[in-house]
Amino acid sequence: MSVSRLRSFGPEIWLADGGQAQVAGFRYPTRMAVMRLTGGGLLVWSPVALGDELAAELAALGGVRLLVAPNSLHDLHLTQWRAAFPTARLYAAPGLATKRPDLRIDVELGDAPPSDWPADLDYVLMRGNAITTEAVFFHRPSRTVLFTDLLQQFPPGWFTGWRALVARLDLMTQPQPAVPRKFRVAFTDRRAGRAALARVLDWPSDKVVMAHGTPVERDGRAFIASAFRWLGGSRAS
């Protein structure tokens, strides 16, 4: 499976779109981010399929040092990346170790960053959701927030037939990226969700990237506050 070339999204951050993933009969586009760390090496967030072209471009940027699985749903290509970069450390959100006992995970992300966590990034665990605990990241040099599945947007016509109806009802085809209805319902502990959101809104963000949706390139903090207003307690100034 081939992937597109890396494209710059700001200082020391690149994006790459991959192939499509099939989930319960629905086609999802995939996207990953690559960040070059101040201390050396690359961090790869939500890896897509690794083709020869992508591997060559990564080699030109530097060595892959960290792999990040931001929630328990994004594990499709991790075995391939572990084999290709055996010295890279894999950091995973809670829940993936239970789902993938076959996968060697070096560190499970907790509420406090690991001692060796790079200074270029901050993260918050969005707890309280019954579907998955997603780690939301903030890349300081580019002022970019990275969501995985909590924000999604599919273009008009992406789905057809009954899938188009389901996607519309699930808020997956809104004019702007939105939190799908299934994830809203799954926030069984909204207090925990609001506490995590408050920390996300403390970041001085300009941009927002998501695995399935059009990146937001300005006023990122205000966009996030608006997208999560239904959760309550959001703010932006």
Side-chain angles (χ1 to χ4, degrees):
M1 185 185 298
S2 63
V3 298
S4 63
R5 296 176 61 86
L6 289 170
R7 61 189 186 280
S8 176
F9 194 67
E12 304 300 339
I13 183 170
W14 295 262
L15 305 180
D17 293 336
Q20 297 177 13
Q22 292 280 344
V23 180
F26 287 80
R27 295 179 297 112
Y28 282 75
T30 58
R31 173 177 296 125
M32 77 177 202
V34 177
M35 288 149 271
R36 185 157 51 195
L37 303 174
T38 302
L42 304 176
L43 180 149
V44 179
W45 169 89
S46 191
V48 299
L50 181 63
D52 292 340
E53 180 178 306
L54 179 57
E57 293 192 356
L58 289 170
L61 289 178
V64 174
R65 177 180 150 200
L66 280 71
L67 302 172
V68 172
N71 66 29
S72 61
L73 307 176
H74 278 232
D75 62 318
L76 186 60
H77 304 293
L78 291 176
T79 299
Q80 181 190 24
W81 283 74
R82 293 245 60 166
F85 303 100
T87 62
R89 289 173 62 79
L90 173 58
Y91 294 76
L96 184 60
T98 301
K99 177 185 177 184
R100 292 289 307 274
D102 61 303
L103 187 65
R104 181 172 60 85
I105 296 171
D106 295 293
V107 179
E108 181 173 282
L109 296 174
D111 292 312
S115 59
D116 59 347
W117 188 250
D120 310 69
L121 281 92
D122 195 3
Y123 74 86
V124 171
L125 294 180
M126 291 287 289
R127 295 193 182 275
N129 195 286
I131 295 176
T132 191
T133 297
E134 181 164 306
V136 181
F137 293 86
F138 179 60
H139 181 240
R140 292 189 173 94
S142 65
R143 298 166 68 98
T144 299
V145 177
L146 297 100
F147 283 89
T148 313
D149 291 320
L150 288 179
L151 287 170
Q152 297 183 25
Q153 182 195 37
F154 295 81
W158 181 269
F159 299 111
T160 59
W162 65 268
R163 291 182 179 85
L165 175 61
V166 171
R168 180 173 63 82
L169 294 174
D170 200 30
L171 307 178
M172 295 164 64
T173 54
Q174 298 294 295
Q176 284 191 310
V179 181
R181 197 181 302 276
K182 58 180 171 288
F183 281 97
R184 300 186 188 202
V185 173
F187 267 103
T188 55
D189 185 347
R190 291 203 170 195
R191 178 178 294 181
R194 287 193 293 268
L197 177 62
R199 292 181 57 193
V200 171
L201 292 175
D202 281 339
W203 293 329
S205 56
D206 291 331
K207 303 178 181 181
V208 182
V209 166
M210 60 221 72
H212 318 294
T214 304
V216 174
E217 301 199 38
R218 58 182 297 179
D219 301 325
R221 188 166 177 263
F223 162 75
I224 294 169
S226 177
F228 283 88
R229 187 167 289 123
W230 58 271
L231 186 59
S234 63
R235 72 207 188 285
S237 60

